Amino acid sequence: MFILSELSDLVRIPPHTFNIPIQHSLTDELNKKFANKIIANLGFVVTIWDLLDIKDGLLKPGDGGSYVEVRFRCIVWKPFVGEVITGWVSDCSAEGIKVRLEFFDEIFIPKSYIFENCIFKPVEKAWVWKPDEETELYIDINEKIRFRVEEEIFVNVKPKSSEEAMGLEEPSNKAPPYALLASCQTDGMGCVSWWD
Amino acid sequence: MKILNERDSFLSNYEVAEHLKDIKKKYNWTFTKEDEEEHNNDKRKNRKRFAACGLNLEVITRDILAYVANSSTAVIDSPAKFQELMVFLNGFDLMKVEKLQIVNSLPRSMVTLYALVEECDQRFDEERSQSIIDKINELFPVEEEEEEEEEEEAGEAEEHANDENTAMEE
């Protein structure tokens, strides 16, 4: 779910935007910096909601821009533990199910968090749930699935070294900066079509 | 950058979508073919697309709007109905996050409602829980599939009649 977080930051207003009202140039600069980004231990920033306080701009010798401290609120996507979300299955493997939302891909349901008596069928690449002997319910790729958030994982991502950026070296950090672990074990979870 | 207050308040999907729609309109972005046509048919001079806020905002606006359009919140079409549902839910002894989850996913069956509300069976009897679902169905009727097509058409005819009435009044 989305929340509003209050942040403060020092923003450089480039000189070519001095002719437009400062609220606009500030919002643009903040959006450039934060929109579609992850702040460690906070969540996934969508966009700026509003500006609360704009301090006077400061100048630095040798720089034409003005530096403005601003207090603002932004929309952050941060699901809480226990929240129920609906997404799409993007991949099934023996380890578990990968789920994606339209804007966020790093959701994983490990096999220990899937229904009991649920088995993976490698041939069909699908997880199959057998609530009783006869019925077989398939969790296929691209199916709409409902799940519960169990854990959120933030990883501090270091900037790429120049050699990694050129592709000479294997990137050292492969883990996504923000990932979710989810479960699919209780009534109402699993494919949406099962329960309607 | 400093984080002053991690969680100032909660937002529902609907509010976020409305905010992003405003942004989309402000910057004249087009994400789908229909948008594109509308944009091209726009007779006013206001055809310029602004990109001063960076590509990232455009990407996330598109993705979140797609997410909301695919989710159950898409049926909320007016703030008035949204408000009515909230007022109705305030009558129940629900936690803030539970209300928010109900508004976000609009449960249509008991089992989904039970998944959203902790210990729902102990806190509310069946009648009370059913009344939540009934209210949702009343405010935001889902279009049933083929089998109930006739009913739907009848409903639509009624709507048209209503439209005409309001037009007459105006």
Side-chain angles (χ1 to χ4, degrees):
Chain A
M1 89 168 41
F2 299 95
I3 57 169
L4 278 183
S5 296
E6 194 182 323
L7 309 180
S8 78
D9 199 12
L10 188 69
V11 181
R12 177 180 186 266
I13 309 283
H16 72 267
T17 57
F18 283 171
N19 60 335
I20 58 173
I22 189 156
Q23 294 86 344
H24 292 238
S25 49
L26 267 179
T27 321
D28 280 347
E29 290 303 313
L30 287 171
N31 272 326
K32 254 188 231 169
K33 186 168 175 186
F34 290 107
N36 205 5
K37 300 263 167 46
I38 287 154
I39 298 181
N41 298 323
L42 183 68
F44 184 75
V45 181
V46 177
T47 180
I48 308 304
W49 181 260
D50 57 0
L51 304 174
L52 299 173
D53 184 25
I54 303 169
K55 295 252 168 64
D56 288 338
L58 302 168
L59 295 177
K60 263 190 191 174
D63 186 345
S66 85
Y67 289 78
V68 181
E69 197 180 326
V70 57
R71 209 151 54 81
F72 61 98
R73 289 192 295 178
C74 53
I75 307 176
V76 176
W77 186 74
K78 181 192 174 70
F80 59 90
V81 172
E83 184 179 344
V84 177
I85 310 181
T86 327
W88 310 86
V89 177
S90 62
D91 193 25
C92 288
S93 66
E95 275 84 51
I97 303 171
K98 272 206 82 165
V99 183
R100 75 185 148 82
L101 301 179
E102 278 77 355
F103 56 94
F104 190 76
D105 295 337
E106 304 298 339
I107 303 169
F108 187 66
I109 308 175
K111 61 180 173 195
S112 53
Y113 279 161
I114 307 178
F115 293 103
E116 278 176 45
N117 41 31
C118 212
I119 46 159
F120 180 65
K121 288 202 173 164
V123 186
E124 277 133 293
K125 256 200 137 191
W127 279 84
V128 184
W129 182 36
K130 290 181 179 164
D132 49 55
E133 283 300 304
E134 288 103 59
T135 30
E136 279 195 339
L137 293 167
Y138 280 76
I139 303 175
D140 279 318
I141 290 176
N142 277 335
E143 199 127 19
K144 208 171 187 180
I145 187 173
R146 199 178 277 130
F147 55 91
R148 193 181 288 279
V149 177
E150 292 291 337
E151 203 183 319
E152 47 180 5
I153 305 155
F154 283 101
V155 178
N156 237 332
V157 180
K158 287 187 208 119
K160 277 183 188 166
S161 72
S162 56
E163 290 192 340
E164 275 167 34
M166 284 191 296
L168 299 173
E169 212 174 83
E170 279 284 292
S172 52
N173 40 28
K174 281 177 186 158
Y178 184 34
L180 294 174
L181 277 189
S183 77
C184 198
Q185 275 175 316
T186 46
D187 283 354
M189 300 298 127
C191 292
V192 174
S193 49
W194 299 347
W195 302 98
D196 283 339
Chain B
M1 187 205 68
K2 245 194 311 201
I3 299 170
L4 301 171
N5 186 355
E6 204 167 293
R7 199 175 61 208
D8 195 46
S9 57
F10 290 106
L11 286 177
S12 70
N13 289 0
Y14 177 68
E15 289 165 292
V16 173
E18 289 300 301
H19 184 75
L20 290 178
K21 274 180 204 160
D22 285 346
I23 291 180
K24 183 183 158 205
K25 210 169 156 193
K26 182 174 137 203
Y27 289 108
N28 281 324
W29 288 332
T30 51
F31 299 138
T32 58
K33 269 196 181 144
E34 293 93 68
D35 280 358
E36 193 73 40
E37 271 167 30
E38 205 177 298
H39 185 78
N40 289 337
N41 293 337
D42 199 349
K43 295 263 157 47
R44 287 166 297 157
K45 283 164 229 147
N46 193 7
R47 279 207 187 175
K48 204 171 160 200
R49 288 172 217 207
F50 300 98
C53 52
L55 192 61
N56 272 325
L57 182 65
E58 196 169 342
V59 169
I60 193 67
T61 308
R62 184 197 62 201
D63 291 353
I64 300 255
L65 285 178
Y67 166 71
V68 175
N70 285 335
S71 74
S72 31
T73 328
V75 293
I76 303 182
D77 47 8
S78 73
K81 280 186 182 173
F82 183 79
Q83 230 165 18
E84 200 184 329
L85 179 62
M86 254 351 253
V87 170
F88 177 78
L89 287 177
N90 281 338
F92 290 81
D93 185 21
L94 286 164
M95 301 269 289
K96 208 172 176 184
V97 282
E98 288 168 343
K99 270 186 269 184
L100 201 56
Q101 285 214 67
I102 293 178
V103 174
N104 278 348
S105 49
L106 299 177
R108 311 248 177 208
S109 60
M110 277 303 213
V111 67
T112 39
L113 181 70
Y114 275 35
L116 297 179
V117 181
E118 221 169 293
E119 290 174 346
C120 190
D121 48 341
Q122 284 161 36
R123 287 161 60 190
F124 307 109
D125 52 35
E126 208 162 300
E127 224 172 278
R128 298 259 292 159
S129 322
Q130 187 60 45
S131 72
I132 296 181
I133 293 165
D134 289 345
K135 186 76 181 175
I136 290 169
N137 281 331
E138 177 203 319
L139 281 174
F140 312 108
V142 257
E143 286 166 34
E144 293 292 329
E145 274 153 40
E146 285 151 34
E147 58 214 22
E148 277 170 280
E149 216 164 18
E150 282 172 32
E151 267 184 46
E152 221 178 85
E153 275 166 23
E156 268 172 30
E158 227 175 74
E159 263 172 40
H160 283 304
N162 285 341
D163 285 347
E164 274 168 22
N165 284 344
T166 45
M168 299 267 275
E169 275 163 31
E170 278 167 11

